Amino acid sequence: MKQWTVIICCFLCMLSYGQDKKKLVTVKKVLKLMGTRFEITVVAQNEEIGYINIQEGIAEITRIEKMISSWDENSETSQINKNAGIKPVKVSFELFKLIERAKKISEITDGAFDISYASMDKVWQFDGKMDRLPSKTQIENSIAKIGHEKIILDADAQTVFLMEEGMRIGFGAIGKGFAADKTKDLLISKGVKAGLINASGDLTTWGTKATGEKWMIGIANPLSKDKVFSWLPIVESSVATSGNYEKYLLFEGKKYSHIIDPRTGYPTRGINSVSIFAKDAELCDALATAVFIIGRDSGIHLINQIPGVEVVVVDGENKIHKSSGILFDNNQ
């Protein structure tokens, strides 16, 4: 079978089109935010309005980063981490609900997704410098402080408490999707009728392109990216992809992904990429990581139980597998 990889392909027309005698234009900006590549695209009456909308989106992403960043010592997240094992920390309603949703995803994925993964000691390196695998003891010690059940939430006081000193939470596996959703919501509230937010592969859309056509994503062959395996329309929907294309470890002929199972401390194996389709980018982001960790069969079974969510998995042999709601022939 040819080598296939899930790649997000967004074809955006940058010209003006007549639509009900009104000219609409597509305006796009690519920039680095939250330490990663963001693409903000809006459909607007003219370029000036489009760029104003994009600046509003940038401001919203920057605001979210200041709230959830564990690198900013003044962020709410850093305050939670600093007070681990000491005292509960009162946080904004917005952050409280994000952590609450993250804990629920941890429960349905049996801990495969866990924001307390940030407590993990870095015993694995994916820069080509490792000449031996970590010992069993090192690995066990590295995950000793991880556990979503140790994140205590008090809804009445709106506080978050990490039970053990040295615990940390991080939003690396959900934060980009959260930011994409919040930016989309803000722009819709500002009257932007259509657009696309792409947070380094965590993508959400609303409305249609300036032509009136649906936004499309493609499953393509990375060795021949002009040949699309299958097109999938996304309407008022989102998609997120987790993959091991760039960061992985080769040791004694075995490939280890940079995505580590927080329950065992070992890198995942057997999957090359996972793409999740759902209404919200936040959920897509979290579940893409979880399915990567759970594995192909168990992961697809899990997604088949969640209404409104679908998955495409490319396994270690570059074969494509999908949940029941994805309709295309993967034997092409």
Side-chain angles (χ1 to χ4, degrees):
M1 181 178 179
K2 294 181 179 179
Q3 183 180 7
W4 298 101
T5 303
V6 173
I7 294 179
I8 301 303
C9 300
C10 300
F11 283 74
L12 306 175
C13 186
M14 303 304 294
L15 300 176
S16 300
Y17 289 88
Q19 192 176 57
D20 297 329
K21 298 182 180 180
K22 293 182 180 179
K23 291 183 178 180
L24 296 177
V25 298
T26 301
V27 182
K28 179 175 76 171
K29 187 167 186 177
V30 179
L31 65 165
K32 188 173 183 179
L33 295 165
M34 297 177 67
T36 192
R37 183 181 188 273
F38 266 78
E39 253 181 61
I40 304 175
T41 303
V42 296
V43 175
Q45 287 86 353
N46 56 59
E47 286 194 357
E48 182 180 1
I49 293 174
Y51 281 116
I52 290 172
N53 296 149
I54 287 174
Q55 287 303 317
E56 291 173 327
I58 292 170
E60 177 69 352
I61 296 166
T62 301
R63 181 189 71 83
I64 291 165
E65 182 178 18
K66 289 181 179 179
M67 177 178 65
I68 69 174
S69 173
S70 56
W71 301 106
D72 182 348
E73 62 180 21
N74 296 316
S75 72
E76 292 184 69
T77 301
S78 290
Q79 296 306 309
I80 294 170
N81 291 339
K82 287 177 184 177
N83 286 282
I86 301 172
K87 65 178 182 180
V89 174
K90 185 174 177 59
V91 299
S92 63
F93 180 75
E94 191 176 22
L95 182 60
F96 185 90
K97 298 305 287 186
L98 173 62
I99 296 173
E100 187 176 63
R101 293 192 298 273
K103 279 178 63 68
K104 288 179 180 178
I105 296 172
S106 294
E107 291 168 5
I108 68 172
T109 62
D110 194 27
F113 171 84
D114 193 329
I115 59 173
S116 70
Y117 80 94
S119 309
M120 187 183 301
D121 293 334
K122 304 298 187 292
V123 297
W124 294 92
Q125 298 177 30
F126 298 92
D127 55 6
K129 296 179 181 179
M130 288 189 71
D131 57 4
R132 67 180 65 182
L133 298 182
S135 69
K136 181 179 179 181
T137 299
Q138 286 177 310
I139 291 171
E140 289 175 348
N141 290 340
S142 75
I143 61 171
K145 292 182 172 63
I146 295 176
H148 61 92
E149 69 283 350
K150 301 175 186 176
I151 304 172
I152 308 303
L153 301 181
D154 185 330
D156 294 330
Q158 206 168 292
T159 59
V160 181
F161 177 54
L162 306 183
M163 290 179 63
E164 295 185 16
E165 187 176 352
M167 275 189 71
R168 293 173 56 84
I169 59 172
F171 297 98
I174 196 172
K176 297 197 308 297
F178 173 65
D181 284 337
K182 295 294 289 186
T183 304
K184 169 183 172 178
D185 291 343
L186 174 73
L187 293 179
I188 289 174
S189 75
K190 297 287 186 178
V192 180
K193 300 300 183 182
L196 180 150
I197 311 294
N198 186 352
S200 191
D202 297 344
L203 182 150
T204 191
T205 70
W206 71 103
T208 60
K209 294 190 284 185
T211 59
E213 297 172 296
K214 298 174 183 177
W215 304 103
M216 302 286 288
I217 64 156
I219 298 177
N221 182 346
L223 301 180
S224 182
K225 294 183 181 180
D226 58 328
K227 296 181 180 179
V228 176
F229 175 63
S230 182
W231 286 106
L232 297 173
I234 48 175
V235 181
E236 308 292 333
S237 189
S238 306
V239 60
T241 297
S242 289
N244 65 354
Y245 315 122
E246 296 180 357
K247 293 178 67 177
Y248 56 87
L249 169 68
L250 284 174
F251 193 79
E252 295 182 350
K254 296 180 180 179
K255 185 177 182 179
Y256 297 85
S257 166
H258 73 286
I259 299 175
I260 296 174
D261 189 335
R263 303 166 300 181
T264 66
Y266 284 89
T268 56
R269 295 180 59 205
I271 289 181
N272 283 344
S273 76
V274 173
S275 292
I276 296 285
F277 303 81
K279 181 179 179 181
D280 299 320
E282 175 189 306
L283 182 62
C284 291
D285 198 1
L287 288 179
T289 300
V291 171
F292 209 107
I293 289 168
I294 292 169
R296 184 193 71 195
D297 294 339
S298 297
I300 291 175
H301 177 74
L302 170 67
I303 297 304
N304 280 334
Q305 312 309 308
I306 306 176
V309 181
E310 302 295 341
V311 65
V312 173
V313 177
V314 179
D315 67 20
E317 298 179 352
N318 296 310
K319 295 180 180 179
I320 294 179
H321 309 265
K322 54 190 174 60
S323 55
S324 57
I326 296 288
L327 302 177
F328 61 73
D329 180 7
N330 60 345
N331 293 315
Q332 295 184 44

